[in-house]
Amino acid sequence: MFVLVLAASWTSNAIAPLQGVSQTTAQDSPTDKYLGDTGGVVFEVSKEDLLKSKDYRSLVELMDLGGNFKRQFGFSIGETRHFAGSVSGPDDAFLKLVLQSSRDIDPLAFMRANGWVRGKQLPETRSFRDQTYYEINRGTEKIGVFQPTDQSVVVNRIEVIEEMVRGRKPEQELLRSKDWLGLEDFQLKFAIGDRLFEQWREEYQRFNSGRSSSDPILDLVGPINEKIVRACGGLKLDGQLNLRISLFAKTPSAAGQIKTSLEALVQIGETMLGPDQAELIEGVSDPEMQKITREGMAFLDDLIESLEFKRLGRELRITARADAKSFVRNVLPDSIQAARKAAQRTQSMNNMKQLGLSMHNYHDTHKGFPPAVLIGPKGHRHSWRIAVLPYLGEMELYEQYRLDEPWDSPNNQKVMNRMPEVFRHPTEPDGSVNTRYLAFVGPKSPFSAPDGFRFSDLTDGSSNTIMFFSGATQVPWTKPEDIEYDPEQEIPLKDGPFEKGFNAVFFDGSVQFIPSETGWEKLHLLIQGNDGQPVER
C-alpha cells in the first residue's frame, strides 16, 4: 500500500521515480534545507553513479521517455543532480518538490512547462532581502516557487516558501530520523509517517465494519494496518537490485504479528499466481509484450524467492534482491520501445484534443468553424491551422503572420519556423515544421464549405463525424494543404506513424483510433457530416 501511495505521488506530476543525482549527505543536501515532511510521505533520489554505469543507460532512457521530463522541468534527467518530494497526507495531497540541476533553471519556463502560468501571463513576484520568489494562484491553493540558486528550484505552499527565504527550515519529522539516515547508500529512498497510517487505519475500520463475510486476505491485512505506525525503505542498484523496507510497529510483539501476516500473504500470492503465469504469458498476443511479460515475471519470481523477514525489536525489516543487470539487458530495450510508442500515441492524442478544443473555441467566437482554406485580403490562401492560433494561446504568433502575403512569403516563413509544439507529431524530430494533423477537403466533407460551417450543419451528429486526423501524410504546418477527398473514390489513406491505423478527432472533441481494417465505405460515412447515415462508433 505504501508503495502505491508513493507511486501515485510521482505519476500525478508526470515524474519518473528514479533519477540519478549527485552524491549528497542528509546534512548538505537541498532536501535537508528546503523540504519538509510533517509525518506524510517523503522520497529522495540520489547518487549520480547510476547514470555513469553503461549497464543502466537504457534505464535512464526509459526514465526520460519521449523527453517528458525535460518538457516538464526544462532540463533532462541526465542534468538532474538532486530530486526529492513530499506529501503531507490525505488531507493535503499537494506535492512539494526540491530539484537541482547541473544547468541553470529558468523559473518562468519551469512554471510554464507545468501549466502554472500560460502565454504571457506572469506570476506574482515577491522578494525578501534580495531573494526573489514567486506566488501562483491555483484555485484555492497558493503555490510558491523559490530559487535558492540558479541551478535549483523549490516548490511548496507560499507560506512555507516565505518562511524559507527568511531562513527558517521546514518541519522535518521523517528526514531527521536515524532510520532515514541509515538509508544513505540507497539511490531511491522513501518514508511514510504516522499521519498516513492513521488515515489508513480509519478507512480500513470503516470498510471492515461494513463487511458481511470473512475474507482471508483482508483478515491478514487487518493486523498490518492496525499495528504499523511508520515505514521507510529504499532501492539500491549495483550488480543487483536490492530492496529494503522497514515497518515500525507499536510494540515488538506487534512487529511479530505483522511478520506472520506478511509471510502468509506472500504464500497465498504464490499459490494463486504461480500456476496461472504460463497461461497469462500465452494470453499476451503481441510478441514484444509477451517477452516483456515473461522476463518481468521471472524477475518478480526472483525477488519473491529472495524475500526475507527479520524482526528487530519494533522494526520488521524486509529485504529482497534480484539480478538487475540481466533484467535491464533483457527487458528494458523492449520495454523502452513499447513505452515510447505508448507515450507518443498519448502525446499525439493530447495534441489533437488541444487542437479540437481550439476549433470549438473558434466556433464559440465566430459562430462557426473555419474553412480549410482562408482567403486573405489580396486573394492569398492560408491554412485553418493559422486561424486557430489565438485559441491555442498563440496570439502573438498569429499577429506576426501576414494574411495579405502568400503563406510562404519571407515574413510568413519566419512564423512557420516557430511552429507550436501542438502541431508537431511526437514521432517528428525537434525543429521539424511539418504537421500530420490534416483535415479532409473535398465535396461533402464539412471543410468543403468556403465560408465555414456550424455544429447545426452536422446533422449526422458531432460524435459521428471526423474533424481531422493524423496519418502518414505530412505538410508544412502553415501550408494551406490537407487531404483531398472524393466521396466517389477509395480514400487514399496509409497507416501513419503508428501501426494498424490512425488517430482521428471527432467534432465532439473526442479522439479515437481508427483501425486499418476499417472499410473505406465506412470512412466515407464518418467524414461526411450530413449524409443521413450516422455511424455509431
Side-chain angles (χ1 to χ4, degrees):
M1 184 180 291
F2 41 84
V3 174
L4 291 178
V5 170
L6 187 59
S9 299
W10 293 326
T11 55
S12 67
N13 284 267
I15 301 169
L18 285 174
Q19 284 121 43
V21 294
S22 297
Q23 290 191 9
T24 57
T25 66
Q27 285 71 38
D28 64 11
S29 73
T31 303
D32 181 66
K33 191 172 183 180
Y34 297 115
L35 190 65
D37 53 65
T38 61
V41 176
V42 61
F43 63 90
E44 181 177 24
V45 188
S46 56
K47 293 200 179 294
E48 195 173 15
D49 56 348
L50 178 65
L51 295 177
K52 294 177 180 177
S53 172
K54 64 180 181 181
D55 295 304
Y56 299 118
R57 285 175 185 167
S58 56
L59 177 61
V60 174
E61 183 182 352
L62 180 62
M63 292 187 292
D64 201 17
L65 189 62
N68 285 333
F69 186 92
K70 188 169 185 176
R71 279 193 290 271
Q72 189 88 357
F73 298 112
F75 53 90
S76 69
I77 285 177
E79 296 167 321
T80 307
R81 293 183 54 221
H82 200 91
F83 173 58
S86 68
V87 177
S88 297
D91 55 341
D92 181 11
F94 173 67
L95 182 64
K96 295 84 174 176
L97 291 175
V98 172
L99 284 164
Q100 190 177 54
S101 171
S102 60
R103 58 174 287 183
D104 288 356
I105 301 174
D106 180 347
L108 188 58
F110 175 84
M111 288 182 275
R112 282 176 175 159
N114 283 278
W116 296 336
V117 295
R118 300 183 182 279
K120 291 185 177 181
Q121 179 186 359
L122 295 174
E124 187 77 22
T125 303
R126 302 185 179 278
S127 63
F128 177 78
R129 293 181 181 174
D130 298 326
Q131 294 186 94
T132 299
Y133 58 101
Y134 306 92
E135 180 179 319
I136 304 161
N137 290 315
R138 194 178 70 171
T140 58
E141 295 178 330
K142 288 189 176 182
I143 301 173
V145 178
F146 172 48
Q147 266 199 294
T149 69
D150 290 340
Q151 298 180 335
S152 60
V153 64
V154 180
V155 180
N156 211 315
R157 297 195 180 281
I158 187 62
E159 58 269 21
V160 179
I161 293 293
E162 288 174 342
E163 290 182 355
M164 287 182 186
V165 299
R166 286 165 172 77
R168 181 176 176 182
K169 286 187 177 181
E171 182 180 347
Q172 295 173 330
E173 173 185 319
L174 301 170
L175 289 168
R176 294 185 180 276
S177 70
K178 64 181 180 60
D179 308 298
W180 178 267
L181 298 178
L183 294 167
E184 188 175 347
D185 61 338
F186 282 73
Q187 290 143 344
L188 168 66
K189 299 177 285 186
F190 70 90
I192 304 175
D194 53 1
R195 291 183 61 191
L196 275 176
F197 283 109
E198 287 174 3
Q199 179 75 18
W200 289 337
R201 276 193 290 274
E202 293 173 3
E203 291 180 1
Y204 178 80
Q205 289 168 358
R206 284 196 296 269
F207 172 77
N208 199 41
S209 63
R211 282 200 291 152
S212 58
S213 60
S214 177
D215 184 299
I217 294 179
L218 290 176
D219 291 340
L220 289 169
V221 170
I224 301 174
N225 274 345
E226 286 295 327
K227 294 174 173 60
I228 296 179
V229 293
R230 59 188 173 86
C232 67
L235 286 172
K236 179 168 58 177
L237 278 169
D238 42 36
Q240 291 185 320
L241 180 144
N242 294 276
L243 169 69
R244 189 174 102 187
I245 299 173
S246 293
L247 306 179
F248 297 90
K250 298 177 181 178
T251 64
S253 61
Q257 290 176 291
I258 294 172
K259 177 176 181 290
T260 301
S261 296
L262 285 175
E263 288 173 337
L265 282 172
V266 170
Q267 188 173 3
I268 291 174
E270 289 178 329
T271 302
M272 293 176 61
L273 297 178
D276 297 329
Q277 283 195 16
E279 182 178 345
L280 179 61
I281 293 170
E282 292 302 320
V284 179
S285 57
D286 184 89
E288 194 174 81
M289 289 306 299
Q290 189 178 86
K291 178 184 176 183
I292 294 171
T293 304
R294 181 183 296 107
E295 295 284 350
M297 284 187 168
F299 180 74
L300 184 60
D301 285 343
D302 289 343
L303 273 178
I304 292 174
E305 288 179 12
S306 70
L307 272 173
E308 292 182 359
F309 299 88
K310 186 175 182 179
R311 187 175 66 82
L312 303 168
R314 296 192 305 114
E315 175 189 355
L316 174 63
R317 182 169 295 182
I318 307 165
T319 57
R321 65 199 60 82
D323 183 357
K325 287 186 178 180
S326 174
F327 181 77
V328 169
R329 285 194 301 266
N330 297 328
V331 178
L332 279 186
D334 292 331
S335 299
I336 290 169
Q337 185 64 21
R340 179 182 291 113
K341 289 180 181 178
Q344 289 174 339
R345 191 187 295 268
T346 299
Q347 182 60 48
S348 180
M349 293 180 74
N350 288 339
N351 289 347
M352 298 176 83
K353 286 178 181 178
Q354 287 187 58
L355 290 173
L357 179 61
S358 73
M359 292 284 274
H360 279 218
N361 291 336
Y362 183 100
H363 185 285
D364 291 344
T365 302
H366 299 275
K367 310 306 177 187
F369 292 102
V373 176
L374 308 171
I375 305 300
K378 295 185 178 180
H380 298 301
R381 295 161 54 88
H382 306 282
S383 172
W384 62 271
R385 291 176 286 272
I386 294 297
V388 299
L389 282 176
Y391 308 95
L392 291 167
E394 296 288 350
M395 177 60 80
E396 179 184 358
L397 195 61
Y398 177 77
E399 291 174 345
Q400 292 176 12
Y401 188 88
R402 298 292 299 272
L403 292 171
D404 59 347
E405 297 178 2
W407 73 272
D408 56 352
S409 69
N411 179 76
N412 288 341
Q413 282 188 2
K414 294 178 182 178
V415 174
M416 181 176 67
N417 291 333
R418 294 179 57 193
M419 180 173 77
E421 285 294 321
V422 69
F423 289 111
R424 182 178 292 112
H425 196 277
T427 59
E428 293 299 308
D430 291 342
S432 169
V433 296
N434 290 336
T435 187
R436 295 179 185 267
Y437 304 128
L438 308 173
F440 293 98
V441 181
K444 297 186 179 180
S445 73
F447 282 100
S448 62
D451 298 323
F453 58 100
R454 297 173 296 278
F455 271 120
S456 58
D457 297 325
L458 303 174
T459 55
D460 290 347
S462 61
S463 63
N464 302 313
T465 310
I466 291 176
M467 180 186 292
F468 59 88
F469 78 107
S470 171
T473 305
Q474 50 184 311
V475 301
W477 75 279
T478 56
K479 187 176 182 179
E481 180 180 326
D482 289 271
I483 296 295
E484 292 297 327
Y485 171 70
D486 185 338
E488 304 299 327
Q489 300 293 325
E490 182 174 345
I491 300 172
L493 288 179
K494 300 177 182 178
D495 283 350
F498 306 129
E499 299 175 356
K500 303 179 182 179
F502 57 90
N503 284 328
V505 181
F506 286 73
F507 275 97
D508 64 353
S510 65
V511 181
Q512 304 290 331
F513 186 73
I514 309 295
S516 299
E517 60 266 22
T518 304
W520 60 271
E521 297 90 346
K522 186 174 182 178
L523 284 176
H524 276 308
L525 300 180
L526 290 172
I527 293 170
Q528 299 175 25
N530 55 4
D531 57 10
Q533 303 181 69
V535 177
E536 294 298 331
R537 297 204 305 260

